[in-house]
Amino acid sequence: EFKQAVYLLEQDVEDFKACTQNYENYNPLKPYISLFLGICSLIISLFWLIHIIVYVLPKNPWAPFLNNYFEWFDKWFPLFGVISVAIFTIYLLFAAITGCFKFGLRVACMQLHPMILGKTYMSSFLFNIGLVLMCSLPVVQFSADAFSDYARYSTINQLFNVQIANLNFFGFFFTKNIFVYIFMGFMFLAAVFLMCRPRNTPPSGKELRDRLRSRRG
């Protein structure tokens, strides 16, 4: 809780400096860039949700959706199709890091590991790198399943959607979409949690002070 309070206080100080002594060096385009990236993130999230509902979850997909979009790009400039797949895939990794960070700001039992330009500790770097490495394999597997029509002739599709999907024990979890349902469950819980607590609220300063005093005494 103390680390959360310090981080939020530092953010308030940075905002105050941007409005007072550093206002001449402040880039007025930052809020608009943040708004643009937020809108892009919302669109990508909606596309992922629709794609999971219409293609990944049904036993017989209702529509290829994003697969058609990627294949359409390949017809006239294949590089754009690859870049689009990379954007949707890397977005999941960024969502994992951001989700862990946002959850750490709102839950006291979670360790906070912020990534700030020029102010990031080595321990935070190692934690976030470990998180990315831990999520890389599930993201690759999920993307290979979600874009199986587009990547049907690739080696990764042969590995995940043919060999691993037909293993005696693990194949059950992939054919029944157990991990996808867990993913959707966490998505729903995160949406409800963020609607209930949309803002980062620091813990009570008086309670933290009393706790520190009680530990000393």
Side-chain angles (χ1 to χ4, degrees), residues 4 8 11 34 39 45 48 60 92 95 98 103-105 148 162 170 174 186-187 193 202 205 209 213 216:
Q4 295 172 356
L8 294 175
Q11 294 297 107
S34 299
I39 294 173
S45 298
W48 262 122
N60 297 316
L92 295 178
T98 306
F103 195 69
L105 277 176
S148 57
V162 177
F170 296 101
F174 293 106
F186 275 108
M187 183 187 297
F193 182 77
R209 182 193 61 188
R213 287 181 176 177
R216 293 178 181 177

Side-chain angles (χ1 to χ4, degrees), residues 25 39 92 109 130 152 159 177 180 188 203 205:
N25 299 325
I39 294 173
L92 295 178
C109 62
R152 55 184 174 271
L159 178 63
N177 291 325
V180 180
F188 174 76

Side-chain angles (χ1 to χ4, degrees), residues 5 25 88 129:
N25 299 325
F88 277 87
I129 290 173

Side-chain angles (χ1 to χ4, degrees), residues 28 52 74 118 140 158:
I52 292 172
D74 278 353
V140 171
Q158 176 72 18

Side-chain angles (χ1 to χ4, degrees), residues 205-215:
K206 292 182 178 180
E207 293 181 1
L208 289 176
R209 182 193 61 188
D210 295 338
R211 290 181 185 177
L212 292 174
R213 287 181 176 177
S214 63
R215 290 177 182 176

Side-chain angles (χ1 to χ4, degrees), residues 30-67:
K30 278 186 177 181
Y32 298 100
I33 295 174
S34 299
L35 177 62
F36 174 75
L37 293 177
I39 294 173
C40 291
S41 299
L42 177 62
I43 293 173
I44 294 175
S45 298
L46 290 176
F47 279 174
W48 262 122
L49 181 61
I50 296 172
H51 187 72
I52 292 172
I53 293 174
V54 303
Y55 183 79
V56 179
L57 288 180
K59 187 175 182 179
N60 297 316
W62 300 339
F65 195 55
L66 290 177
N67 290 284

Side-chain angles (χ1 to χ4, degrees), residues 1-13 101 104-108 110 112 114 200-209 211-212:
E1 291 183 0
F2 180 75
K3 194 172 182 179
Q4 295 172 356
V6 170
Y7 173 77
L8 294 175
L9 182 60
E10 289 177 348
Q11 294 297 107
D12 292 338
V13 171
F101 177 59
L105 277 176
R106 291 168 171 82
V107 180
M110 290 288 293
L112 198 62
N200 299 325
T201 55
S204 174
K206 292 182 178 180
E207 293 181 1
L208 289 176
R209 182 193 61 188
R211 290 181 185 177
L212 292 174

